[in-house]
Amino acid sequence: MNEKSMPENTQKSDYLNYSFEDFLQDDFFISSVNEPSEESEIFWTDFQNRKPDNIQEYILAKQYLQSIAVQADPLSDDEISHMWNNISSHREENKKHKRGKLLFITIAVAASIAVLAISFPFLSNIFSDKNTSDIVAYADKNKVEVPDNSEIQLVISDNKTILLDEKEATITYEQNEIKTEKGVLEKEESVTIHQLIIPKGKRSVLTLSDGSKLWANAGSRVVYPSEFGKDKREIYVDGEIFVEVAKDASKPFFVRTKDMSVQALGTSFNVMAYESDALKRVVLVSGIVKVETKESKGAILNPNTMFQFQGGDEKIIPVEADAYISWIKGLYLFRNERLEVVFERLSRYYGIQIQCSPDAAIIRCSGKLDLKDNIEEIMKGLSFDGKIIYSQEGNVYKINKVQ
């Protein structure tokens, strides 16, 4: 059998109502992406030329499959048998899908088998109930308040907390040890779940055990395991992070927050989800992520798009992603942003109190701030155009609109 051939009676109209998930469960679509033939190329070119309503779902599903780069070794008969048993079991649990087909027509090609075997855990987890997450339960039960001004705290056990006084602390998890600027710790000295607490006015760079690298912004709390499990990687965030996810097709990467769940596979994105703020954002720089909230089944983002969530209202907006991750380089870029949001972020960056009057809060502005400047220089720059004035009373800055 030619595994690339189109199934009999297959029509382009069969795919017009397909979702992202449906495409990822269709054997002909998957084989067309992984091993395109002249026949399949013609079929999908014609499909795209029809400009169907679900063209974005098609593109994202194709991008996802292409993002799984696997160098396949031949599988043994036992491995093939075990894989198909797992897939058959999963099919029985998911008969509700309108197309309950196996992901491939044949197992004759070793590379196709390897892609299926490795990507299958991701597909089975993509719609998992985020409310059952162990990391969320732990973060809720072991909540640590983020202090206004103090050292960065690395909590590695109930009775051991490492205090780091650097303005931007670097922490690296390696196979058997944890490296900080205070020295090296053996992982054996710690418990399974760790917490990183970043006070206002400070930041941290954290390299996780899988090689994923994240930047934690001021006023943030990150909860994560010292070693990830076998089937998934997940962390919890109250605050803002930018993360570059290390590729591992067998272990999807989840960022959980109080109101959202973000799933990625070898990608980079920014999450802003302070529990004290109503506004939550996810901005994708590269790759593909899926964002879920308690109110929605999920949204799939492609690069340079932002998922915004506030008070039950969800939006997907095209953006220039670099502007939203400039803080990791010590810059703050903002475009048509409310002054209220700008000053909230500056309050965290500098570890100070800023009070903004209601009429000044709604003013929109654009600009670029160098966060290495002191707060007085920042205030002078923001008030330069004469729309606002500022005053300082003790440790509090007060912002008012010029009347």
Side-chain angles (χ1 to χ4, degrees), residues 2 29 32 167 208 230 243 381 399:
N2 181 357
F29 173 77
S32 297
K167 186 173 180 61
L208 298 167
K230 295 181 179 180
V243 58
I399 312 299

Side-chain angles (χ1 to χ4, degrees), residues 183-232:
V184 177
L185 301 168
E186 297 297 326
K187 282 188 179 179
E188 294 177 356
E189 301 177 32
S190 67
V191 294
T192 304
I193 305 295
H194 295 181
Q195 299 196 58
L196 180 61
I197 315 298
I198 315 295
K200 292 181 178 180
K202 297 193 175 182
R203 287 168 288 281
S204 183
V205 181
L206 172 65
T207 302
L208 298 167
S209 60
D210 68 329
S212 295
K213 187 174 183 179
L214 69 84
W215 288 255
N217 209 346
S220 297
R221 169 183 172 233
V222 185
V223 184
Y224 55 94
S226 59
E227 290 286 342
F228 289 112
K230 295 181 179 180
D231 61 343
K232 64 182 175 182

Side-chain angles (χ1 to χ4, degrees), residues 90-107:
H90 182 75
R91 283 189 68 193
E92 291 301 315
E93 297 172 2
N94 291 277
K95 287 184 177 178
K96 62 182 180 180
H97 290 292
K98 64 182 179 181
R99 289 178 65 93
K101 294 183 179 181
L102 298 180
L103 297 182
F104 284 104
I105 300 171
T106 177
I107 61 172

Side-chain angles (χ1 to χ4, degrees), residues 80-89 102 104 106-107 116:
I80 292 172
S81 176
H82 177 68
M83 180 187 71
W84 282 110
N85 286 338
N86 286 341
I87 294 171
S88 297
S89 174
L102 298 180
F104 284 104
T106 177
I107 61 172
L116 175 58

Side-chain angles (χ1 to χ4, degrees), residues 357-384:
S357 67
D359 54 353
I362 61 175
I363 295 174
R364 291 190 176 272
C365 60
S366 301
K368 175 181 177 181
L369 301 177
D370 189 337
L371 299 176
K372 293 185 289 293
D373 291 341
N374 63 48
I375 188 61
E376 193 66 25
E377 292 174 323
I378 294 290
M379 288 296 184
K380 288 178 181 178
L382 288 171
S383 59
F384 179 74

Side-chain angles (χ1 to χ4, degrees), residues 103 160 167 185 247 264 271 278 291 305 379:
L103 297 182
K160 188 160 188 176
K167 186 173 180 61
L185 301 168
K247 285 193 174 183
V271 176
V291 186
T305 56
M379 288 296 184

